[in-house]
Amino acid sequence: MNWKRLLGYALVSIVIGVLITVAVLLGHYQDFRKTPLNISESGVIYEVAAGTSLKQLAYDLQRRGITGHPHYLVWLGRELDLAHRLQAGEYEITPGMTPEDLLRKLAGGEVIQHAITLIEGQTFKEMLAVITASGDIVHTLDGVDSEELMVRLGHEGEYPEGRFLPDTYHFPQGTTDLAFLTRAYNAMEHHLAEEWAAREEGLPLNTPYEALTLASIVEKETAVAGERPVIAGVFIRRLKKGMRLQTDPTVIYGLGDRFDGNLRASDLRSDTPYNTYTRDGLPPTPIAMPGAASIHAVLHPDNGDTLFFVANGNGGHYFSRTLKEHELAVKKFQLGQSVSLPPASTR
């Protein structure tokens, strides 16, 4: 046997060995991309830092025991053209997720969304307390007063009460309180502008801000959805007739920290800019965050003829057309006297 033939056999053996090795590696690689990651039943919250490379990701996942073949993950990312598309953020890795699933999730920026709910009827102070208490948001406004806060929002000189739309807002990790408030402010601006453009004609409201102010009063007066347009109608008719609104929530707002939970007759006589028993028209600003339904009610009020209402003790109100009827309702529902009232009707 000559040396050339031996060399040929050796080369063939090497090639065969290489092909076998490649075939084995490809088989392992294909198994890797289809095999679920090593995740507990409860899943894993995994954070990708800004600037993390695919290789860094792969070896970190190996270190945590989530995957055992970092080089395979690098190959997979390159094959899928996702190697340079990974996005920073907080991700949930769930049971059954494969390496390909994970890479596509990271490349798609499917980060965990946190949430804060702003509730209808909250005051600005109460809203800030909710945001401050959240551990899911980056706090940058600690110690900042309301005037400076509005400056940072880009709305210097505006009073903040009522200017943020109540809703549940979802946001990714790293969102600041300022960014959150900007979003809620813009949401209210957009919603109010749309509602104002579609308002009914003939309303005694000159600006969207006046509508916002009245909507905040309606919001504080009732939690019954069907009553909002009825109460709005009462206030609209009173404004048209030049009657004072005479609504307790504005008085309470004007009392501020002096209000101890018990509204007294002396409070109704104590004049403040928000006392609608002593002053004509609307108060100078909203008194809370009105929801979308209250804003709509004010701009599309009930067209009945009632001018008065009083809490009926069941969470709703009794509406009256005349002062005499209203006085009877007050005796019945607030003083507990046995009096006869006209049957309830659409008012």
Side-chain angles (χ1 to χ4, degrees):
M1 183 178 295
N2 59 43
W3 288 107
K4 289 183 179 181
R5 182 171 296 180
L6 288 174
L7 182 58
Y9 287 152
L11 290 174
V12 169
S13 297
I14 292 171
V15 170
I16 291 173
V18 169
L19 292 175
I20 291 173
T21 300
V22 170
V24 170
L25 287 174
L26 287 175
H28 288 169
Y29 171 66
Q30 293 301 326
D31 289 340
F32 167 81
R33 66 184 298 173
K34 297 176 183 177
T35 301
L37 297 166
N38 184 27
I39 297 297
S40 66
E41 291 184 2
S42 60
V44 170
I45 304 302
Y46 185 82
E47 184 176 352
V48 178
T52 299
S53 68
L54 176 58
K55 185 176 181 180
Q56 289 171 327
L57 171 72
Y59 279 94
D60 187 57
L61 290 173
Q62 180 195 39
R63 181 180 62 80
R64 297 178 184 225
I66 296 174
T67 179
H69 301 281
H71 48 285
Y72 286 167
L73 191 67
V74 173
W75 292 354
L76 180 59
R78 291 171 179 170
E79 178 187 348
L80 298 174
D81 194 28
L82 301 177
H84 301 292
R85 294 163 57 186
L86 305 182
Q87 298 187 42
E90 191 179 31
Y91 295 86
E92 182 179 11
I93 307 177
T94 55
M97 186 177 288
T98 66
E100 182 171 343
D101 294 334
L102 176 61
L103 289 177
R104 291 193 183 281
K105 189 169 192 173
L106 270 56
E110 299 174 28
V111 297
I112 293 173
Q113 294 289 318
H114 301 282
I116 292 178
T117 298
L118 305 183
I119 300 173
E120 293 90 342
Q122 284 179 330
T123 63
F124 176 69
K125 182 178 180 180
E126 291 168 339
M127 179 197 71
L128 283 186
V130 171
I131 296 171
T132 300
S134 173
D136 296 323
I137 207 160
V138 179
H139 298 284
T140 65
L141 298 172
D142 294 344
V144 174
D145 63 23
S146 59
E147 291 184 5
E148 175 61 22
L149 187 151
M150 295 307 291
V151 170
R152 296 191 187 188
L153 284 175
H155 301 284
E156 183 177 1
E158 291 185 4
Y159 189 67
E161 194 70 78
R163 291 188 179 273
F164 304 88
L165 186 68
D167 201 352
T168 295
Y169 295 90
H170 294 88
F171 53 90
Q173 182 189 42
T175 299
T176 66
D177 45 11
L178 186 61
F180 179 91
L181 287 168
T182 298
R183 182 179 169 191
Y185 179 97
N186 290 339
M188 177 60 88
E189 285 281 283
H190 178 75
H191 183 80
L192 183 59
E194 283 191 338
E195 286 283 1
W196 179 257
R199 70 190 183 280
E200 290 187 6
E201 296 182 358
L203 297 176
L205 302 169
N206 298 315
T207 65
Y209 191 65
E210 289 187 356
L212 186 68
T213 299
L214 185 55
S216 73
I217 299 173
V218 171
E219 190 67 61
K220 295 298 286 187
E221 281 286 7
T222 184
V224 180
E227 283 193 349
R228 291 190 182 105
V230 183
I231 288 179
V234 169
F235 288 142
I236 289 293
R237 286 187 287 277
R238 292 180 76 92
L239 288 172
K240 284 183 175 181
K241 290 177 179 290
M243 299 172 65
R244 287 177 177 170
L245 295 183
Q246 296 184 322
T247 171
D248 293 354
T250 62
V251 178
I252 292 170
Y253 187 83
L255 291 173
D257 293 337
R258 289 180 292 154
F259 180 64
D260 60 4
N262 182 24
L263 189 64
R264 301 170 177 82
S266 59
D267 295 325
L268 303 182
R269 297 190 298 268
S270 178
D271 185 52
T272 75
Y274 291 90
N275 190 333
T276 51
Y277 286 86
T278 62
R279 300 203 180 194
D280 298 334
L282 293 166
T285 73
I287 60 172
M289 288 190 298
S294 292
I295 294 171
H296 185 81
V298 161
L299 296 173
H300 302 273
D302 174 79
N303 60 3
D305 58 0
T306 54
L307 290 170
F308 307 91
F309 60 89
V310 63
N312 61 17
N314 296 318
H317 295 81
Y318 181 89
F319 296 86
S320 304
R321 296 181 177 89
T322 67
L323 179 58
K324 181 179 179 180
E325 182 184 354
H326 176 63
E327 289 173 342
L328 288 174
V330 170
K331 289 180 180 179
K332 178 178 178 66
F333 296 115
Q334 291 194 343
L335 303 180
Q337 299 180 12
S338 179
V339 299
S340 298
L341 292 171
S345 62
T346 301
R347 297 169 182 271

